[in-house]
Amino acid sequence: MKNLVRYGYPLLMIVGVNGTVIALAGSGAPKVVLIAVVLAAIALSFTVERLIPYEEYWNRSHDDAGRDAAHVVVNESLMLASLAMIPLVAAIRGPGLWWPHDLPFWIQVLLAVLVADLGITVVHMASHRFGWLWRLHAVHHSVTRCYGLNGLMKHPLHQTLETLGGVAPLLVLGMPASVASALAAMVAVQLLLQHSNADYRVGPLRYVLALNEGHRFHHQRDAGAGDVDFGLFTLIWDHAFGTFVLDRHRRFTSADLGMAAKPDYPSSYRAQLVVPFTRAGGCGEMGPLPRRTVRERIQTGRRSR
């Protein structure tokens, strides 16, 4: 039964839930219906995390459940607000002459996913290289467990910048609001999968899709070690930029996650909104190790001390 869940869960989310989202958005379903699908996906994610946990301890609150819920509500609300702005952007921009409107809707959505994946990956990489961006992104790296809600555990300003990085090129191209709605829901589903505490399996797709097995390496606490696996939907750009890392034999615990240079990083929601603009939110861990050194350390299972 557990093996059925291990292999069936990612298939259900990637194909079933995303397929439902695409079908609903393409048929002009109200946004509230898409929100209901995402809420169902969240419930499924939490259920599977308890059926096949990667780390049992991560299913227990680390006094962070309320804070993470606040991040989810705020950041999802920002995403919905951005969708509401698309008609205004379209009115200012004029007809979307460059968008492939004649293609089947599902292909338009996949095109949007690939373009957004590149834009978000670039912003994510920049957030590990520039101090002012790292201050905002550090909120996300302060986690000491990986589970579904971690994906939206971000400073709202950084969430906005990542969204702009992924969506702005699509708006210039003339992306329709229906495609944007599908993309927003698929981002939420992907973040659930990417940070999930479920010990699921995807076979060779682990080298192509940006899922939890690889993303745990991105959350390593040692300075520079997490400068890998930046992709949101895929690992295509990590392969291209030389930042892909995966060691199938490596196991993670809470001791391996977080920020070694800032073990006392604020844990409350209000404090995390403010800390990037204070001295305590400085760039202590920014300045990644050379990529080759990072990859060698991780692939051999060693940790820098």
Side-chain angles (χ1 to χ4, degrees):
M1 181 61 182
K2 286 190 175 181
N3 278 335
L4 178 62
V5 176
R6 282 193 176 96
Y7 288 95
Y9 169 64
L11 183 64
L12 178 59
M13 292 284 273
I14 295 170
V15 178
V17 176
N18 284 334
T20 300
V21 163
I22 292 172
L24 289 171
S27 65
K31 291 183 178 61
V32 67
V33 177
L34 294 178
I35 293 172
V37 173
V38 171
L39 291 176
I42 292 173
L44 176 61
S45 173
F46 271 72
T47 300
V48 172
E49 285 180 336
R50 279 145 186 81
L51 290 174
I52 51 168
Y54 172 83
E55 175 62 61
E56 185 73 44
Y57 180 58
W58 289 351
N59 281 337
R60 307 172 197 167
S61 175
H62 292 27
D63 293 326
D64 56 4
R67 175 204 68 197
D68 291 353
H71 277 291
V72 169
V73 170
V74 170
N75 289 328
E76 277 295 306
S77 298
L78 286 173
M79 194 174 297
L80 290 172
S82 67
L83 289 177
M85 295 294 292
I86 290 178
L88 176 61
V89 172
I92 297 173
R93 182 203 61 227
L97 300 178
W98 300 288
W99 188 261
H101 294 279
D102 294 334
L103 291 177
F105 184 76
W106 67 272
I107 294 181
Q108 294 182 46
V109 174
L110 292 183
L111 174 63
V113 164
L114 291 175
V115 173
D117 192 44
L118 173 59
I120 292 171
T121 299
V122 169
V123 174
H124 195 175
M125 286 181 172
S127 300
H128 282 244
R129 285 158 173 70
F130 298 101
W132 66 277
L133 275 172
W134 171 251
R135 285 173 170 265
L136 297 171
H137 187 50
V139 171
H140 183 65
H141 278 270
S142 67
V143 300
T144 55
R145 63 170 175 149
C146 282
Y147 77 115
L149 292 191
N150 282 160
L152 281 167
M153 195 282 215
K154 302 177 181 181
H155 194 282
L157 183 52
H158 192 268
Q159 165 80 8
T160 300
L161 292 172
E162 277 195 338
T163 300
L164 284 174
V167 174
L170 294 168
L171 293 177
V172 171
L173 289 172
M175 174 179 61
S178 56
V179 174
S181 296
L183 176 62
M186 291 173 69
V187 167
V189 171
Q190 181 62 21
L191 289 172
L192 285 171
L193 282 168
Q194 191 176 60
H195 294 81
S196 176
N197 185 34
D199 189 21
Y200 61 76
R201 304 281 193 273
V202 294
L205 288 176
R206 67 172 65 91
Y207 299 104
V208 181
L209 301 180
L211 299 172
N212 63 355
E213 187 176 1
H215 197 67
R216 295 183 194 112
F217 289 94
H218 183 73
H219 279 275
Q220 290 181 102
R221 65 183 281 116
D222 295 321
D227 194 48
V228 296
D229 297 340
F230 292 98
L232 173 60
F233 283 101
T234 77
L235 296 167
I236 294 172
W237 307 114
D238 286 292
H239 285 292
F241 298 139
T243 55
F244 169 77
V245 163
L246 181 66
D247 178 0
R248 295 180 59 194
H249 303 290
R250 174 72 186 273
R251 291 286 302 182
F252 290 89
T253 67
S254 289
D256 301 307
L257 307 181
M259 296 185 292
K262 296 183 181 298
D264 299 321
Y265 195 86
S267 59
S268 73
Y269 180 73
R270 182 176 299 178
Q272 288 185 347
L273 291 182
V274 175
V275 70
F277 309 102
T278 67
R279 182 172 297 179
C283 343
E285 295 197 345
M286 198 207 62
L289 298 173
R291 292 173 185 167
R292 186 175 180 183
T293 304
V294 172
R295 187 178 296 115
E296 288 173 351
R297 285 186 175 179
I298 297 173
Q299 289 181 337
T300 57
R302 288 178 286 151
R303 298 173 59 211
S304 59
R305 289 292 185 185

